[in-house]
Amino acid sequence: MLRISSIALMALLTACSSVPIAESEARPIPPGRVHEAKFVRAADGLSKVVFLRDKGMSGSACDVHVYIDNTLAFTARPGEGVDVFLESGEHFVRMDMGAGLCPAASVSTDITLKAGEGRAYRLGFQANTGLSLVRLR
């Protein structure tokens, strides 16, 4: 009985977390949800920053809005990704969720980029901590 309860608890906790995706499997965010086109235009000297929204049941009905330097850059849904191009230097990145039945949540970080540097971030949702913005590389 204890073994069955443990397995059920593990299954429940696992179902409440989102699952990371690889860059190769990410669907592109449609242009209608890219709110600031300047962020998705590549140019010499800019750093490429990849944002990947987890897939899975947890948080799947909720859009995640990503702000770069306090400007709404894009809105991501599960399994989507986008390449953003930023100047070297310091940037403020914030991820918000919360409309309708979705819990109000926000997470942010400062990033400092060198010219031409590449980065990738995971936009996830964990049952025990809520939204997560995790650097992958």
Side-chain angles (χ1 to χ4, degrees):
M1 181 70 167
L2 181 60
R3 184 167 188 242
I4 292 171
S5 297
S6 297
I7 292 170
L9 180 61
M10 285 299 289
L12 181 61
L13 289 175
T14 304
C16 292
S17 297
S18 53
V19 179
I21 62 170
E23 288 181 49
S24 60
E25 67 178 296
R27 293 183 323 275
I29 293 176
R33 283 189 277 114
V34 173
H35 306 292
E36 188 59 60
K38 73 177 182 180
F39 290 126
V40 294
R41 278 191 229 118
D44 290 338
L46 296 181
S47 298
K48 178 180 168 183
V49 182
V50 179
F51 289 95
L52 302 167
R53 169 84 190 270
D54 283 1
K55 63 182 179 180
M57 290 301 296
S58 185
S60 63
C62 305
D63 288 346
V64 169
H65 307 285
V66 177
Y67 295 78
I68 299 172
D69 299 328
N70 291 315
T71 298
L72 178 58
F74 61 89
T75 300
R77 293 186 178 153
E80 294 181 336
V82 65
D83 296 342
V84 169
F85 299 91
L86 301 173
E87 294 179 358
S88 60
E90 227 177 277
H91 297 278
F92 176 68
V93 177
R94 185 178 87 234
M95 180 171 73
D96 289 343
M97 178 174 72
L101 298 175
C102 300
S106 185
V107 64
S108 62
T109 191
D110 292 314
I111 62 173
T112 302
L113 299 169
K114 297 176 185 165
E117 179 181 15
R119 294 257 182 104
Y121 288 89
R122 173 184 173 202
L123 310 174
F125 186 84
Q126 308 303 316
N128 59 341
T129 60
L131 286 177
S132 61
L133 179 65
V134 178
R135 183 176 172 184
L136 300 173
R137 61 175 164 84

